[in-house]
């Protein structure tokens, strides 16, 4: 449906390879927080999901989350091995062993291997062996998901990875014990080879490239700060300043006693001593396996599951990949004309390609086969809105957020997307049908944030005033999927439209203060300027241009060079 550039937090490790054995049909195991797709034996899949649920309990307890934010289940694709992971994203010999994608309207996904060449074993793994345990991969990726879900604020890049590395090496022993903060062999090997990174460069988001031990040093620094009480308190102050917009290096020098130089000396000593602490939790209760439901995936979905993963993993934005998916799905839909799934998937591809008429027709065919097909309803609804707006002369030109996302991204301050209010005989039935489909999708799945977002889009595109239902729905969508930037921007715009620029500014800040340069950050910064301007004078124009990457870089350099 609607995508932006996928944010991939990928663990880079040694390239792994294994020949692919004959595999069984795909199945899906569903628990409270996970939806795992796999071809492994049912008992192994249930065991793996149960471990993930225990890991979620661990993160909830140690990260101080009093109550988890409501969220969608993480889709976990457990594939054969690292080779297949790399084949899926067409990155053979890249070293990618697993990855996490937060930025899809259908929810976040993680892709993890079942085997590694170094271990040659299934997911259970054992300590002190060469290589990376697949459990470490999924623990790492789920740590990213947990952080984004429960702490939707600006965080420094090194800590995002350090948090995932620290928790990623959690060990679950057969006797029920859980060991947290264990020795990370692959990261220590990285430090042994490259040395501890220059901390000033590590802390500066613009200096990440070229740091050979980025992951290793991020793990080491996180480990040290977590087990030193005084430094841990100083770290809290550092994070607070970063979240309020202070540059990471400045925040570190302000909060850590002795500044970055002293912190580096202590980190060197900590590393040389190799006296790493870890915590052991004894007899941690197991997850109730009766809560895990396993069902066979229908044949048509199984046949296209690799294509589904590719679609979620950036294929929706890549023109070449979309054309490959288009051809595959056209052939598959012809071979299986009774598959509503394949027709709805194909409709999604058509929509991404700006082939709105084909998208509407393919989604309609899916709904003929299955009148309640959720994806078909949503694809048809958004394609109908797109066509209606085009008939009314609306300008939906692409903006730089991404080609695929421009259709429904809330308008940038420079007015990238023009909302039309004119009605005609051709467009009215399209709007009416779109609203009917959005409402039906919401009734069928009230917890899905996407129909809630589309209702807001329906009102906004028609130039109609927002109502309480739309704003409440957007709030729920954002709380459910805080990782998905369009939901955040839409809610900020809705608050501002209601005159609540304080709440709008608070939403924009988390992205505007992000230490990671991105198009989303540039848009958020322009929106934040607008909201802060409106707080001073609600009657002012307060129009601010979204800077290009080059303009932002020049602006930041000028600010850095400006005398104090």
């Amino acid at each position: 449906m609607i995508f932006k550039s996928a944010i991939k937090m990928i663990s880079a490790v040694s390239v792994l390879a294994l020949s692919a054995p004959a595999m069984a049909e795909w199945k899906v195991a569903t628990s409270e927080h996970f939806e795992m797709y796999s071809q492994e034996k049912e008992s192994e899949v249930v065991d793996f999901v149960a471990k993930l649920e225990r890991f979620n309990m661990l993160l909830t307890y140690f990260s101080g989350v009093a109550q988890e934010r409501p969220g969608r289940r993480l889709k976990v694709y457990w594939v054969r091995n690292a080779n297949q992971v790399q084949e899926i994203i067409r990155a053979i010999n890249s070293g990618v062993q697993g990855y996490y994608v937060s930025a899809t309207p259908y929810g976040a996904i993680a892709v993890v291997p079942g085997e590694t060449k170094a271990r040659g074993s299934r997911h259970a793994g054992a300590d002190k062996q060469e290589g990376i345990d697949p459990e470490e991969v999924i623990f790492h990726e789920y740590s990213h998901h947990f952080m984004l879900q429960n702490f939707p604020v600006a965080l420094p890049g090194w800590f995002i990875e350090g948090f995932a590395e620290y928790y990623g090496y959690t060990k679950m022993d057969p006797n029920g014990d859980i060991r947290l903060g264990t020795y990370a062999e692959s990261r220590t090997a990285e430090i042994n080879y490259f040395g501890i990174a220059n901390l000033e460069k590590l802390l500066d988001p613009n200096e990440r490239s070229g740091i050979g031990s980025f992951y290793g040093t991020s793990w080491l620094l996180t480990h040290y700060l977590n087990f030193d009480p005084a430094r841990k308190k100083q770290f809290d102050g550092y994070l607070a300043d970063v979240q309020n917009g202070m540059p990471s290096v400045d925040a570190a020098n302000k909060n850590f006693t002795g500044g970055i130089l002293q912190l580096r000396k202590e980190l060197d000593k900590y590393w040389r001593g190799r006296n790493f602490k870890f915590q052991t939790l004894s007899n941690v209760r197991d997850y109730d396996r009766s809560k895990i439901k396993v069902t066979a995936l229908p044949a048509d979905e199984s046949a296209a599951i690799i294509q589904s993963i590719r679609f979620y993993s950036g294929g929706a934005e890549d023109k070449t990949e979309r054309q490959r998916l288009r051809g595959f799905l056209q052939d598959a839909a012809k071979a299986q004309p009774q598959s509503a799934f394949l027709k709805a998937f194909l409709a999604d591809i058509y929509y991404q390609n700006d082939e709105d008429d084909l998208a509407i027709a393919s989604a309609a065919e899916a709904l003929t086969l299955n009148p309640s097909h959720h994806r078909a309803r949503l694809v048809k609804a958004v394609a109908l809105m797109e066509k209606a707006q085009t008939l009314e002369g609306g300008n939906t030109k692409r903006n730089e957020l991404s080609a695929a996302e421009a259709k429904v991204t809330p308008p940038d301050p420079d007015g990238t997307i023009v909302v039309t209010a004119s009605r005609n005989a051709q467009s009215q039935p399209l709007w009416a049908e779109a609203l009917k489909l959005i409402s039906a999708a919401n009734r069928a799945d009230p917890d899905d944030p996407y129909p809630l977002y589309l209702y807001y889009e329906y009102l906004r595109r028609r130039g109609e005033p927002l109502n309480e239902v739309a704003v409440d729905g957007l709030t729920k969508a954002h709380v459910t999927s805080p990782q998905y930037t369009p939901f955040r921007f839409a809610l900020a715009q809705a608050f501002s439209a209601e005159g609540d620029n304080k709440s709008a500014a608070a939403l924009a800040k988390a992205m505007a203060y992000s230490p990671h340069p991105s198009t989303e950050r540039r848009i958020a910064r322009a929106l934040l300027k607008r909201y802060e301007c409106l707080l001073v004078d609600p009657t002012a124009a307060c129009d601010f241009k979204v800077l290009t990457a080059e303009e932002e870089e020049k602006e930041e350099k000028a600010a850095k060079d400006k005398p104090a």
Side-chain angles (χ1 to χ4, degrees), residues 168-404:
Y169 286 91
T170 296
K171 302 299 178 185
M172 295 187 180
D173 297 330
N175 64 358
D177 289 354
I178 296 180
R179 287 174 287 138
L180 177 67
T182 60
Y183 190 73
E185 290 191 17
S186 63
R187 296 312 175 203
T188 56
E190 181 183 297
I191 296 174
N192 282 333
Y193 185 81
F194 291 104
I196 295 176
N198 179 302
L199 285 193
E200 188 159 328
K201 288 187 175 182
L202 183 83
L203 295 172
D204 187 340
N206 299 310
E207 297 286 348
R208 173 170 171 174
S209 60
I211 300 178
S213 61
F214 177 83
Y215 288 93
T217 307
S218 296
W219 163 78
L220 180 64
L221 182 56
T222 302
H223 200 285
Y224 170 63
L225 294 174
N226 191 67
F227 283 102
D228 186 289
R231 287 302 197 187
K232 190 174 184 178
K233 185 175 181 180
Q234 294 167 11
F235 175 63
D236 291 340
Y238 159 80
L239 281 185
D241 281 340
V242 169
Q243 288 161 21
N244 284 320
M246 184 180 290
S248 177
V249 172
D250 294 345
N253 280 321
K254 172 190 171 185
N255 287 280
F256 292 119
T257 301
I260 293 175
L261 185 62
Q262 180 61 31
L263 185 63
R264 173 57 193 262
K265 290 179 180 178
E266 293 176 14
L267 195 63
D268 284 341
K269 182 178 179 181
Y270 190 66
W271 169 249
R272 290 194 304 270
R274 304 294 176 95
N275 185 27
F276 299 123
K277 300 175 182 178
F278 65 88
Q279 295 171 282
T280 299
L281 304 179
S282 299
N283 301 315
V284 179
R285 64 182 175 86
D286 199 0
Y287 185 74
D288 183 356
R289 283 166 166 72
S290 67
K291 294 181 179 180
I292 303 172
K293 308 301 180 186
V294 182
T295 57
L297 204 63
D300 53 350
E301 295 186 39
S302 293
I305 195 165
I306 299 302
Q307 285 68 33
S308 292
I309 302 172
R310 282 187 173 135
F311 182 77
Y312 297 137
S313 303
E317 306 98 77
D318 183 84
K319 184 176 180 180
T320 301
E321 191 61 56
R322 285 202 309 268
Q323 291 307 110
R324 291 192 186 110
L325 291 170
R326 188 181 189 274
F328 174 90
L329 290 167
Q330 284 176 329
D331 292 342
K334 286 178 183 177
Q336 301 183 67
Q338 298 304 306
S339 171
F341 167 80
L342 290 172
K343 291 184 185 297
F345 193 174
L346 180 58
D348 219 337
I349 294 295
Y350 284 143
Y351 174 73
Q352 298 295 333
N353 278 337
D354 291 326
E355 300 172 290
D356 293 325
D357 286 334
L358 289 177
I360 292 167
S362 189
E365 290 177 8
L367 290 167
T368 298
L369 293 167
N370 180 357
S372 61
H373 197 284
H374 196 68
R375 186 178 192 175
R377 280 172 169 165
L378 297 174
V379 176
K380 188 177 182 184
V382 76
L384 284 167
M385 289 197 294
E386 186 75 13
K387 185 174 181 180
Q389 198 168 9
T390 300
L391 288 171
E392 293 169 356
N395 179 2
T396 56
K397 67 182 181 180
R398 303 300 193 187
N399 68 13
E400 62 174 351
L401 181 58
S402 87

Side-chain angles (χ1 to χ4, degrees), residues 448-492:
D448 184 352
Y450 197 59
L452 302 173
Y453 172 68
L454 288 185
Y455 177 58
Y456 159 81
E457 272 299 305
Y458 169 84
L459 295 177
R460 188 188 68 78
R461 285 174 174 239
R462 284 173 59 88
E464 296 185 5
L466 297 181
N467 54 46
E468 187 177 350
V469 172
V471 177
D472 287 348
L474 268 183
T475 302
K476 181 177 179 180
H478 171 64
V479 170
T480 302
S481 295
Q483 309 96 324
Y484 194 50
T485 307
F487 294 169
R488 176 184 295 273
F489 285 167
L491 183 58

